[in-house]
Amino acid sequence: MNAEGRTNDPAHGPGTGAAPAAGTEPGTAPAAGTDAAHSSSRRVRVVLVDDHRMFRAGVQAEIGRTDETGVDVVGEAGDVEQAVSVITATRPDVVLLDVHLPGGGGVEVLRRSSSLSGAADSPVRFLALSVSDAAEDVIGVIRGGARGYVTKTITGADLVDAIFRVSEGDAVFSPRLAGFVLDAFASTDAPPLDEDLDRLTQREREVLRLIARGYAYKEVAKQLFISVKTVESHVSAVLRKLQLSNRHELTRWAAARRLV
Amino acid sequence: MTPASSTAGGVGAAHAAGGGPPADDAPPPPLRKLYRSAEGRMLGGVARGLAGHLGLPVSWVRIVFVALTVTDGLGVLLYAAFWFVVPLGTGGVDTGTAGSGATVGAAGTGALGGTGRKSAPPGSTPGWHGEDAQGTPDSQDAYGWARLRVRKPDKGQLFAVLALLVGAAVIADNLQFGRVNTYLWPVLLIGLGVVLVWRQADDARRAHWAEVTRRRGLVPIARSAAGVVLVAVGVSGIVVVQGSASRLGPVLQAALAVLVGVALLAGPYLVRMMQDLSEERLMRIRAQERAEVAAHVHDSVLHTLTLIQRSADDPREVARLARAQERELRNWLYRPRGNGKEEDRRPQTLSEAVKSTAAEVEDDHGVPIEVVCVGDCPLDEGLDAQIQAAREAMVNAAKYGGDGAAAHAGAPGGGAVQVFAEVEGRTVFVSVRDRGPGFDPDAVPEDRMGVRESIVGRMRRHGGTARLRSAPGEGTEVELEMERAAES
């Protein structure tokens, strides 16, 4: 499971634009590619929300070396109450949010922090992190407002990269999430309520399909002869549709494998 | 009274009253409790239970009862007493006849006897055993296949009915219809009704062991109703014979009024109680099932942890064990009716097949394989071939493109192998992608192309296509496309 978040190309630094030499393998040396890219840039302030202290400690050890990774862990929380107060107090750039939490789950944290995440200047952004494979959980937390989803088996380097992506407002789609979304928006007999929100465009489907096949954004761009920026905007558009679509039981469609 | 009958009656009675071991029976080491037999019984299962308890052939016991009945009617009383007192169980069933069709025994029981259901009711829960007092499992197969059998009246039953009619005729001949015997018919009717109702109650109890019955069949209700009607007619008959026939109308009306009143008052409570009971039972069974599976999962988790500790110095083995266990656990957590065991059935759909194939390759080669499936469809012959080709591609990816290969070669790890399967309309697409060193397909000599035969050739033979894309340093991707068979 260690490549769940392999949609990211580790050298995609914020505002650096310094693409690595072609042929650099994504996710190779831990944080090597990312260091170079991120250390020169701004720091990203992060809050960890997870009810397993051991896991928080592990993540802290892996990404918390601020000088190397550019990530600064400014707070931790183990349940919904703590999370809301810590997030309110620290106003981080990114919250790493566990889907399953005592006190209502990650969705509840998202709901109660919506004023912060919707803020006009420097909004707090959420990246969901989970061991769960259940489509309802994943889609639910994205619909709740998270900007991406990765599983806990993600490597440190990929996680750092995902955090930077999310901090810039991009969406982070793991192959699994892309698969769930394709299922959720699959053509059904139900007529769309809102043509703009309830359907994916052909291009969006192509992008998602490649992500589900394990392509990094850069590779998707190359495959479709478009720029990485365009890929990102497609993914963000999909995320928006996922969050705003009023199509009933979107999550249920994703969960129930449809026998075509 | 024959000696045999005294043994049967006496011992049985002693036992029914909770007595000690039989006096003249060779005392068996464990004390066998007396139960009425639910399997292969004619009427109440008394004779079969007794026979099993005493180790006698069931026909002997039945003959004794019949003989006693013919002589002075004692047999009926004895039988009824046993029926009333002895709990229903599964005693006295020799496995040879358990669950088989109606056995042919004493005459005069076919009419009522063929009513016991000998097949597992539909929808019985797998892995859950009947909870009779002995804790013996009821005779279902483990997976509770509903064996709906059309019950045909077999020769034995027909014979029994004939014998019953003959017997009845003989009895009727022997009885003088005078004032003395005027009560006989009503009493007979009442007895018949009581037998019907009791039989029904027994059946209901048995059904409860087997499962929570969800049958809303009319047969049980009809049988109970018939029993009640018979008893009512019998009682009315007695009233008529007593000579109070003139007041029968008002009496019946009053009785009816009382009954209706009681039904109105107690009805809601009774219904509520029944509903609560069945719901509670359902919950309990579900919880039990879940607990069983949980126990299995916990067991195998513990097992895996032990193995991991033992092989702590073999990182690849540790990773393999951990991943296999993780898969099993996920299977149980996130699959609607997952049972945590993957190995006990063949995959039915494309996504299941892809996942189980990936799991096997993962275990064999110790390389993580990520599977993403979109849509699903039933398997057919062409898709089987596609899965085989995909397996070949996964094996190659694991060998030459995955972490393991990289570790062997001392190269940076390629990470997980990515597998993607999608069903869209009639087209099924599967891709297998690794981020290994890659190779130049054109540079591979003709005779070295296992890929060409096992993947490309296989797909072509089944009317599909396979594309192989690889370049040195870019990993390898195999794309398989197949049209699935028409709607199945």
PDB file of all heavy atoms in Angstrom, chain A residues 174-207:
ATOM      1  N   SER A 174      -5.538  10.316  -4.879  1.00  0.00           N
ATOM      2  CA  SER A 174      -4.825   9.047  -4.987  1.00  0.00           C
ATOM      3  C   SER A 174      -5.555   8.188  -6.023  1.00  0.00           C
ATOM      4  O   SER A 174      -6.702   8.472  -6.357  1.00  0.00           O
ATOM      5  CB  SER A 174      -4.832   8.341  -3.633  1.00  0.00           C
ATOM      6  OG  SER A 174      -6.157   8.092  -3.248  1.00  0.00           O
ATOM      7  N   PRO A 175      -4.881   7.164  -6.549  1.00  0.00           N
ATOM      8  CA  PRO A 175      -5.563   6.302  -7.520  1.00  0.00           C
ATOM      9  C   PRO A 175      -6.891   5.762  -6.985  1.00  0.00           C
ATOM     10  O   PRO A 175      -7.881   5.713  -7.718  1.00  0.00           O
ATOM     11  CB  PRO A 175      -4.567   5.165  -7.745  1.00  0.00           C
ATOM     12  CG  PRO A 175      -3.244   5.737  -7.421  1.00  0.00           C
ATOM     13  CD  PRO A 175      -3.483   6.759  -6.349  1.00  0.00           C
ATOM     14  N   ARG A 176      -6.892   5.400  -5.722  1.00  0.00           N
ATOM     15  CA  ARG A 176      -8.107   4.836  -5.155  1.00  0.00           C
ATOM     16  C   ARG A 176      -9.245   5.838  -5.155  1.00  0.00           C
ATOM     17  O   ARG A 176     -10.378   5.517  -5.517  1.00  0.00           O
ATOM     18  CB  ARG A 176      -7.828   4.369  -3.730  1.00  0.00           C
ATOM     19  CG  ARG A 176      -9.025   3.790  -3.046  1.00  0.00           C
ATOM     20  CD  ARG A 176      -8.643   2.671  -2.167  1.00  0.00           C
ATOM     21  NE  ARG A 176      -7.676   1.811  -2.873  1.00  0.00           N
ATOM     22  CZ  ARG A 176      -7.239   0.666  -2.407  1.00  0.00           C
ATOM     23  NH1 ARG A 176      -7.657   0.248  -1.265  1.00  0.00           N
ATOM     24  NH2 ARG A 176      -6.386  -0.058  -3.079  1.00  0.00           N
ATOM     25  N   LEU A 177      -8.940   7.047  -4.736  1.00  0.00           N
ATOM     26  CA  LEU A 177      -9.975   8.079  -4.723  1.00  0.00           C
ATOM     27  C   LEU A 177     -10.481   8.335  -6.140  1.00  0.00           C
ATOM     28  O   LEU A 177     -11.685   8.470  -6.370  1.00  0.00           O
ATOM     29  CB  LEU A 177      -9.424   9.375  -4.106  1.00  0.00           C
ATOM     30  CG  LEU A 177     -10.350  10.589  -4.141  1.00  0.00           C
ATOM     31  CD1 LEU A 177     -11.673  10.285  -3.469  1.00  0.00           C
ATOM     32  CD2 LEU A 177      -9.700  11.790  -3.472  1.00  0.00           C
ATOM     33  N   ALA A 178      -9.561   8.363  -7.100  1.00  0.00           N
ATOM     34  CA  ALA A 178      -9.977   8.564  -8.494  1.00  0.00           C
ATOM     35  C   ALA A 178     -10.949   7.469  -8.913  1.00  0.00           C
ATOM     36  O   ALA A 178     -11.962   7.732  -9.576  1.00  0.00           O
ATOM     37  CB  ALA A 178      -8.751   8.563  -9.402  1.00  0.00           C
ATOM     38  N   GLY A 179     -10.650   6.236  -8.504  1.00  0.00           N
ATOM     39  CA  GLY A 179     -11.552   5.125  -8.832  1.00  0.00           C
ATOM     40  C   GLY A 179     -12.924   5.316  -8.212  1.00  0.00           C
ATOM     41  O   GLY A 179     -13.952   5.125  -8.869  1.00  0.00           O
ATOM     42  N   PHE A 180     -12.951   5.716  -6.948  1.00  0.00           N
ATOM     43  CA  PHE A 180     -14.233   5.937  -6.268  1.00  0.00           C
ATOM     44  C   PHE A 180     -15.042   7.020  -6.979  1.00  0.00           C
ATOM     45  O   PHE A 180     -16.253   6.919  -7.142  1.00  0.00           O
ATOM     46  CB  PHE A 180     -14.006   6.366  -4.813  1.00  0.00           C
ATOM     47  CG  PHE A 180     -13.576   5.252  -3.911  1.00  0.00           C
ATOM     48  CD1 PHE A 180     -12.800   5.511  -2.785  1.00  0.00           C
ATOM     49  CD2 PHE A 180     -13.949   3.943  -4.166  1.00  0.00           C
ATOM     50  CE1 PHE A 180     -12.410   4.491  -1.940  1.00  0.00           C
ATOM     51  CE2 PHE A 180     -13.560   2.914  -3.333  1.00  0.00           C
ATOM     52  CZ  PHE A 180     -12.787   3.192  -2.218  1.00  0.00           C
ATOM     53  N   VAL A 181     -14.340   8.079  -7.365  1.00  0.00           N
ATOM     54  CA  VAL A 181     -15.045   9.192  -7.991  1.00  0.00           C
ATOM     55  C   VAL A 181     -15.620   8.764  -9.340  1.00  0.00           C
ATOM     56  O   VAL A 181     -16.755   9.091  -9.674  1.00  0.00           O
ATOM     57  CB  VAL A 181     -14.111  10.410  -8.152  1.00  0.00           C
ATOM     58  CG1 VAL A 181     -14.825  11.520  -8.899  1.00  0.00           C
ATOM     59  CG2 VAL A 181     -13.663  10.898  -6.788  1.00  0.00           C
ATOM     60  N   LEU A 182     -14.824   8.011 -10.102  1.00  0.00           N
ATOM     61  CA  LEU A 182     -15.332   7.522 -11.389  1.00  0.00           C
ATOM     62  C   LEU A 182     -16.588   6.691 -11.172  1.00  0.00           C
ATOM     63  O   LEU A 182     -17.568   6.790 -11.917  1.00  0.00           O
ATOM     64  CB  LEU A 182     -14.260   6.684 -12.085  1.00  0.00           C
ATOM     65  CG  LEU A 182     -13.169   7.463 -12.811  1.00  0.00           C
ATOM     66  CD1 LEU A 182     -12.051   6.539 -13.255  1.00  0.00           C
ATOM     67  CD2 LEU A 182     -13.751   8.190 -14.017  1.00  0.00           C
ATOM     68  N   ASP A 183     -16.564   5.874 -10.140  1.00  0.00           N
ATOM     69  CA  ASP A 183     -17.745   5.058  -9.830  1.00  0.00           C
ATOM     70  C   ASP A 183     -18.928   5.929  -9.429  1.00  0.00           C
ATOM     71  O   ASP A 183     -20.058   5.689  -9.833  1.00  0.00           O
ATOM     72  CB  ASP A 183     -17.418   4.099  -8.686  1.00  0.00           C
ATOM     73  CG  ASP A 183     -17.263   2.676  -9.192  1.00  0.00           C
ATOM     74  OD1 ASP A 183     -17.791   2.390 -10.277  1.00  0.00           O
ATOM     75  OD2 ASP A 183     -16.625   1.868  -8.511  1.00  0.00           O
ATOM     76  N   ALA A 184     -18.626   6.940  -8.616  1.00  0.00           N
ATOM     77  CA  ALA A 184     -19.706   7.779  -8.105  1.00  0.00           C
ATOM     78  C   ALA A 184     -20.395   8.553  -9.227  1.00  0.00           C
ATOM     79  O   ALA A 184     -21.603   8.759  -9.197  1.00  0.00           O
ATOM     80  CB  ALA A 184     -19.159   8.747  -7.060  1.00  0.00           C
ATOM     81  N   PHE A 185     -19.610   8.976 -10.221  1.00  0.00           N
ATOM     82  CA  PHE A 185     -20.189   9.745 -11.315  1.00  0.00           C
ATOM     83  C   PHE A 185     -20.535   8.877 -12.510  1.00  0.00           C
ATOM     84  O   PHE A 185     -20.778   9.374 -13.598  1.00  0.00           O
ATOM     85  CB  PHE A 185     -19.223  10.854 -11.760  1.00  0.00           C
ATOM     86  CG  PHE A 185     -19.242  12.050 -10.861  1.00  0.00           C
ATOM     87  CD1 PHE A 185     -18.265  12.246  -9.909  1.00  0.00           C
ATOM     88  CD2 PHE A 185     -20.255  12.990 -10.971  1.00  0.00           C
ATOM     89  CE1 PHE A 185     -18.287  13.353  -9.077  1.00  0.00           C
ATOM     90  CE2 PHE A 185     -20.283  14.094 -10.156  1.00  0.00           C
ATOM     91  CZ  PHE A 185     -19.300  14.277  -9.200  1.00  0.00           C
ATOM     92  N   ALA A 186     -20.516   7.564 -12.278  1.00  0.00           N
ATOM     93  CA  ALA A 186     -20.785   6.661 -13.406  1.00  0.00           C
ATOM     94  C   ALA A 186     -22.156   6.963 -13.982  1.00  0.00           C
ATOM     95  O   ALA A 186     -23.062   7.424 -13.297  1.00  0.00           O
ATOM     96  CB  ALA A 186     -20.728   5.223 -12.935  1.00  0.00           C
ATOM     97  N   SER A 187     -22.266   6.706 -15.262  1.00  0.00           N
ATOM     98  CA  SER A 187     -23.541   6.981 -15.918  1.00  0.00           C
ATOM     99  C   SER A 187     -24.623   6.088 -15.329  1.00  0.00           C
ATOM    100  O   SER A 187     -24.510   4.878 -15.341  1.00  0.00           O
ATOM    101  CB  SER A 187     -23.400   6.701 -17.410  1.00  0.00           C
ATOM    102  OG  SER A 187     -22.761   5.458 -17.599  1.00  0.00           O
ATOM    103  N   THR A 188     -25.616   6.695 -14.779  1.00  0.00           N
ATOM    104  CA  THR A 188     -26.745   5.931 -14.274  1.00  0.00           C
ATOM    105  C   THR A 188     -27.979   6.376 -15.043  1.00  0.00           C
ATOM    106  O   THR A 188     -27.930   7.297 -15.846  1.00  0.00           O
ATOM    107  CB  THR A 188     -26.980   6.200 -12.777  1.00  0.00           C
ATOM    108  OG1 THR A 188     -27.188   7.595 -12.614  1.00  0.00           O
ATOM    109  CG2 THR A 188     -25.802   5.758 -11.954  1.00  0.00           C
ATOM    110  N   ASP A 189     -29.069   5.725 -14.751  1.00  0.00           N
ATOM    111  CA  ASP A 189     -30.300   6.099 -15.438  1.00  0.00           C
ATOM    112  C   ASP A 189     -30.875   7.393 -14.871  1.00  0.00           C
ATOM    113  O   ASP A 189     -31.669   8.069 -15.509  1.00  0.00           O
ATOM    114  CB  ASP A 189     -31.329   4.975 -15.298  1.00  0.00           C
ATOM    115  CG  ASP A 189     -30.815   3.708 -15.956  1.00  0.00           C
ATOM    116  OD1 ASP A 189     -29.953   3.842 -16.842  1.00  0.00           O
ATOM    117  OD2 ASP A 189     -31.264   2.618 -15.586  1.00  0.00           O
ATOM    118  N   ALA A 190     -30.446   7.699 -13.654  1.00  0.00           N
ATOM    119  CA  ALA A 190     -30.993   8.888 -13.019  1.00  0.00           C
ATOM    120  C   ALA A 190     -30.556  10.129 -13.792  1.00  0.00           C
ATOM    121  O   ALA A 190     -29.371  10.331 -14.022  1.00  0.00           O
ATOM    122  CB  ALA A 190     -30.492   8.979 -11.584  1.00  0.00           C
ATOM    123  N   PRO A 191     -31.496  10.945 -14.204  1.00  0.00           N
ATOM    124  CA  PRO A 191     -31.125  12.149 -14.941  1.00  0.00           C
ATOM    125  C   PRO A 191     -30.429  13.126 -13.995  1.00  0.00           C
ATOM    126  O   PRO A 191     -30.782  13.208 -12.824  1.00  0.00           O
ATOM    127  CB  PRO A 191     -32.475  12.712 -15.410  1.00  0.00           C
ATOM    128  CG  PRO A 191     -33.464  12.161 -14.454  1.00  0.00           C
ATOM    129  CD  PRO A 191     -32.937  10.833 -14.004  1.00  0.00           C
ATOM    130  N   PRO A 192     -29.417  13.825 -14.491  1.00  0.00           N
ATOM    131  CA  PRO A 192     -28.715  14.756 -13.628  1.00  0.00           C
ATOM    132  C   PRO A 192     -29.637  15.913 -13.231  1.00  0.00           C
ATOM    133  O   PRO A 192     -30.433  16.388 -14.029  1.00  0.00           O
ATOM    134  CB  PRO A 192     -27.561  15.251 -14.500  1.00  0.00           C
ATOM    135  CG  PRO A 192     -28.001  15.001 -15.904  1.00  0.00           C
ATOM    136  CD  PRO A 192     -28.898  13.809 -15.860  1.00  0.00           C
ATOM    137  N   LEU A 193     -29.518  16.337 -11.993  1.00  0.00           N
ATOM    138  CA  LEU A 193     -30.331  17.453 -11.516  1.00  0.00           C
ATOM    139  C   LEU A 193     -29.722  18.763 -11.991  1.00  0.00           C
ATOM    140  O   LEU A 193     -30.404  19.718 -12.276  1.00  0.00           O
ATOM    141  CB  LEU A 193     -30.390  17.439  -9.985  1.00  0.00           C
ATOM    142  CG  LEU A 193     -30.954  16.148  -9.375  1.00  0.00           C
ATOM    143  CD1 LEU A 193     -30.727  16.119  -7.878  1.00  0.00           C
ATOM    144  CD2 LEU A 193     -32.440  16.042  -9.695  1.00  0.00           C
ATOM    145  N   ASP A 194     -28.387  18.746 -12.032  1.00  0.00           N
ATOM    146  CA  ASP A 194     -27.680  19.947 -12.435  1.00  0.00           C
ATOM    147  C   ASP A 194     -26.609  19.538 -13.426  1.00  0.00           C
ATOM    148  O   ASP A 194     -25.616  18.919 -13.069  1.00  0.00           O
ATOM    149  CB  ASP A 194     -27.053  20.611 -11.192  1.00  0.00           C
ATOM    150  CG  ASP A 194     -26.330  21.893 -11.551  1.00  0.00           C
ATOM    151  OD1 ASP A 194     -25.927  22.044 -12.720  1.00  0.00           O
ATOM    152  OD2 ASP A 194     -26.154  22.733 -10.660  1.00  0.00           O
ATOM    153  N   GLU A 195     -26.842  19.877 -14.671  1.00  0.00           N
ATOM    154  CA  GLU A 195     -25.977  19.402 -15.762  1.00  0.00           C
ATOM    155  C   GLU A 195     -24.505  19.744 -15.501  1.00  0.00           C
ATOM    156  O   GLU A 195     -23.617  18.974 -15.839  1.00  0.00           O
ATOM    157  CB  GLU A 195     -26.458  20.050 -17.078  1.00  0.00           C
ATOM    158  CG  GLU A 195     -25.998  19.316 -18.314  1.00  0.00           C
ATOM    159  CD  GLU A 195     -26.473  17.874 -18.360  1.00  0.00           C
ATOM    160  OE1 GLU A 195     -27.678  17.631 -18.220  1.00  0.00           O
ATOM    161  OE2 GLU A 195     -25.615  16.996 -18.543  1.00  0.00           O
ATOM    162  N   ASP A 196     -24.263  20.890 -14.869  1.00  0.00           N
ATOM    163  CA  ASP A 196     -22.882  21.332 -14.676  1.00  0.00           C
ATOM    164  C   ASP A 196     -22.180  20.561 -13.569  1.00  0.00           C
ATOM    165  O   ASP A 196     -20.963  20.385 -13.603  1.00  0.00           O
ATOM    166  CB  ASP A 196     -22.846  22.824 -14.328  1.00  0.00           C
ATOM    167  CG  ASP A 196     -23.195  23.659 -15.550  1.00  0.00           C
ATOM    168  OD1 ASP A 196     -23.071  23.115 -16.662  1.00  0.00           O
ATOM    169  OD2 ASP A 196     -23.592  24.829 -15.385  1.00  0.00           O
ATOM    170  N   LEU A 197     -22.957  20.133 -12.570  1.00  0.00           N
ATOM    171  CA  LEU A 197     -22.319  19.534 -11.405  1.00  0.00           C
ATOM    172  C   LEU A 197     -22.390  18.019 -11.381  1.00  0.00           C
ATOM    173  O   LEU A 197     -21.564  17.368 -10.774  1.00  0.00           O
ATOM    174  CB  LEU A 197     -22.971  20.073 -10.117  1.00  0.00           C
ATOM    175  CG  LEU A 197     -22.655  21.524  -9.758  1.00  0.00           C
ATOM    176  CD1 LEU A 197     -23.387  21.912  -8.491  1.00  0.00           C
ATOM    177  CD2 LEU A 197     -21.153  21.708  -9.574  1.00  0.00           C
ATOM    178  N   ASP A 198     -23.407  17.466 -12.033  1.00  0.00           N
ATOM    179  CA  ASP A 198     -23.648  16.035 -11.864  1.00  0.00           C
ATOM    180  C   ASP A 198     -22.982  15.175 -12.919  1.00  0.00           C
ATOM    181  O   ASP A 198     -23.147  13.972 -12.920  1.00  0.00           O
ATOM    182  CB  ASP A 198     -25.164  15.768 -11.878  1.00  0.00           C
ATOM    183  CG  ASP A 198     -25.841  16.464 -10.721  1.00  0.00           C
ATOM    184  OD1 ASP A 198     -25.105  16.949  -9.846  1.00  0.00           O
ATOM    185  OD2 ASP A 198     -27.074  16.513 -10.695  1.00  0.00           O
ATOM    186  N   ARG A 199     -22.246  15.808 -13.804  1.00  0.00           N
ATOM    187  CA  ARG A 199     -21.580  15.023 -14.850  1.00  0.00           C
ATOM    188  C   ARG A 199     -20.122  15.397 -14.913  1.00  0.00           C
ATOM    189  O   ARG A 199     -19.760  16.552 -14.685  1.00  0.00           O
ATOM    190  CB  ARG A 199     -22.218  15.312 -16.220  1.00  0.00           C
ATOM    191  CG  ARG A 199     -23.607  14.777 -16.364  1.00  0.00           C
ATOM    192  CD  ARG A 199     -23.619  13.568 -17.301  1.00  0.00           C
ATOM    193  NE  ARG A 199     -24.921  12.910 -17.275  1.00  0.00           N
ATOM    194  CZ  ARG A 199     -25.893  13.176 -18.133  1.00  0.00           C
ATOM    195  NH1 ARG A 199     -25.707  14.093 -19.045  1.00  0.00           N
ATOM    196  NH2 ARG A 199     -27.032  12.527 -18.065  1.00  0.00           N
ATOM    197  N   LEU A 200     -19.294  14.435 -15.249  1.00  0.00           N
ATOM    198  CA  LEU A 200     -17.895  14.744 -15.511  1.00  0.00           C
ATOM    199  C   LEU A 200     -17.741  14.933 -17.014  1.00  0.00           C
ATOM    200  O   LEU A 200     -18.384  14.233 -17.799  1.00  0.00           O
ATOM    201  CB  LEU A 200     -16.994  13.595 -15.059  1.00  0.00           C
ATOM    202  CG  LEU A 200     -16.990  13.283 -13.566  1.00  0.00           C
ATOM    203  CD1 LEU A 200     -16.062  12.109 -13.283  1.00  0.00           C
ATOM    204  CD2 LEU A 200     -16.562  14.485 -12.754  1.00  0.00           C
ATOM    205  N   THR A 201     -16.906  15.865 -17.396  1.00  0.00           N
ATOM    206  CA  THR A 201     -16.641  16.017 -18.823  1.00  0.00           C
ATOM    207  C   THR A 201     -15.757  14.865 -19.288  1.00  0.00           C
ATOM    208  O   THR A 201     -15.127  14.184 -18.482  1.00  0.00           O
ATOM    209  CB  THR A 201     -15.911  17.338 -19.122  1.00  0.00           C
ATOM    210  OG1 THR A 201     -14.608  17.262 -18.532  1.00  0.00           O
ATOM    211  CG2 THR A 201     -16.652  18.525 -18.546  1.00  0.00           C
ATOM    212  N   GLN A 202     -15.730  14.701 -20.602  1.00  0.00           N
ATOM    213  CA  GLN A 202     -14.906  13.643 -21.174  1.00  0.00           C
ATOM    214  C   GLN A 202     -13.444  13.803 -20.729  1.00  0.00           C
ATOM    215  O   GLN A 202     -12.785  12.835 -20.369  1.00  0.00           O
ATOM    216  CB  GLN A 202     -15.018  13.700 -22.710  1.00  0.00           C
ATOM    217  CG  GLN A 202     -14.440  12.489 -23.414  1.00  0.00           C
ATOM    218  CD  GLN A 202     -15.015  11.183 -22.880  1.00  0.00           C
ATOM    219  OE1 GLN A 202     -16.202  11.102 -22.576  1.00  0.00           O
ATOM    220  NE2 GLN A 202     -14.170  10.169 -22.736  1.00  0.00           N
ATOM    221  N   ARG A 203     -12.969  15.039 -20.738  1.00  0.00           N
ATOM    222  CA  ARG A 203     -11.582  15.313 -20.378  1.00  0.00           C
ATOM    223  C   ARG A 203     -11.317  14.969 -18.917  1.00  0.00           C
ATOM    224  O   ARG A 203     -10.303  14.374 -18.572  1.00  0.00           O
ATOM    225  CB  ARG A 203     -11.307  16.809 -20.626  1.00  0.00           C
ATOM    226  CG  ARG A 203      -9.892  17.171 -20.952  1.00  0.00           C
ATOM    227  CD  ARG A 203      -9.268  16.205 -21.901  1.00  0.00           C
ATOM    228  NE  ARG A 203      -8.165  16.800 -22.636  1.00  0.00           N
ATOM    229  CZ  ARG A 203      -7.435  16.149 -23.514  1.00  0.00           C
ATOM    230  NH1 ARG A 203      -7.711  14.878 -23.766  1.00  0.00           N
ATOM    231  NH2 ARG A 203      -6.448  16.738 -24.143  1.00  0.00           N
ATOM    232  N   GLU A 204     -12.260  15.358 -18.068  1.00  0.00           N
ATOM    233  CA  GLU A 204     -12.101  15.062 -16.643  1.00  0.00           C
ATOM    234  C   GLU A 204     -12.038  13.556 -16.407  1.00  0.00           C
ATOM    235  O   GLU A 204     -11.226  13.063 -15.619  1.00  0.00           O
ATOM    236  CB  GLU A 204     -13.263  15.676 -15.840  1.00  0.00           C
ATOM    237  CG  GLU A 204     -13.143  17.185 -15.675  1.00  0.00           C
ATOM    238  CD  GLU A 204     -14.453  17.838 -15.284  1.00  0.00           C
ATOM    239  OE1 GLU A 204     -15.481  17.144 -15.254  1.00  0.00           O
ATOM    240  OE2 GLU A 204     -14.453  19.060 -15.036  1.00  0.00           O
ATOM    241  N   ARG A 205     -12.890  12.846 -17.147  1.00  0.00           N
ATOM    242  CA  ARG A 205     -12.878  11.386 -17.009  1.00  0.00           C
ATOM    243  C   ARG A 205     -11.530  10.813 -17.429  1.00  0.00           C
ATOM    244  O   ARG A 205     -10.996   9.918 -16.780  1.00  0.00           O
ATOM    245  CB  ARG A 205     -13.985  10.746 -17.848  1.00  0.00           C
ATOM    246  CG  ARG A 205     -15.384  11.020 -17.344  1.00  0.00           C
ATOM    247  CD  ARG A 205     -16.396  10.224 -18.141  1.00  0.00           C
ATOM    248  NE  ARG A 205     -16.233   8.794 -17.924  1.00  0.00           N
ATOM    249  CZ  ARG A 205     -16.716   8.154 -16.878  1.00  0.00           C
ATOM    250  NH1 ARG A 205     -17.393   8.811 -15.962  1.00  0.00           N
ATOM    251  NH2 ARG A 205     -16.525   6.876 -16.736  1.00  0.00           N
ATOM    252  N   GLU A 206     -10.993  11.343 -18.526  1.00  0.00           N
ATOM    253  CA  GLU A 206      -9.691  10.850 -19.007  1.00  0.00           C
ATOM    254  C   GLU A 206      -8.604  11.083 -17.961  1.00  0.00           C
ATOM    255  O   GLU A 206      -7.792  10.197 -17.684  1.00  0.00           O
ATOM    256  CB  GLU A 206      -9.308  11.548 -20.314  1.00  0.00           C
ATOM    257  CG  GLU A 206     -10.025  10.981 -21.529  1.00  0.00           C
ATOM    258  CD  GLU A 206      -9.871  11.877 -22.754  1.00  0.00           C
ATOM    259  OE1 GLU A 206      -9.205  12.923 -22.637  1.00  0.00           O
ATOM    260  OE2 GLU A 206     -10.413  11.520 -23.810  1.00  0.00           O
ATOM    261  N   VAL A 207      -8.629  12.285 -17.371  1.00  0.00           N
ATOM    262  CA  VAL A 207      -7.625  12.604 -16.355  1.00  0.00           C
ATOM    263  C   VAL A 207      -7.754  11.661 -15.161  1.00  0.00           C
ATOM    264  O   VAL A 207      -6.777  11.066 -14.698  1.00  0.00           O
ATOM    265  CB  VAL A 207      -7.769  14.073 -15.899  1.00  0.00           C
ATOM    266  CG1 VAL A 207      -6.923  14.346 -14.660  1.00  0.00           C
ATOM    267  CG2 VAL A 207      -7.372  15.017 -17.025  1.00  0.00           C
TER     268      VAL A 207
END
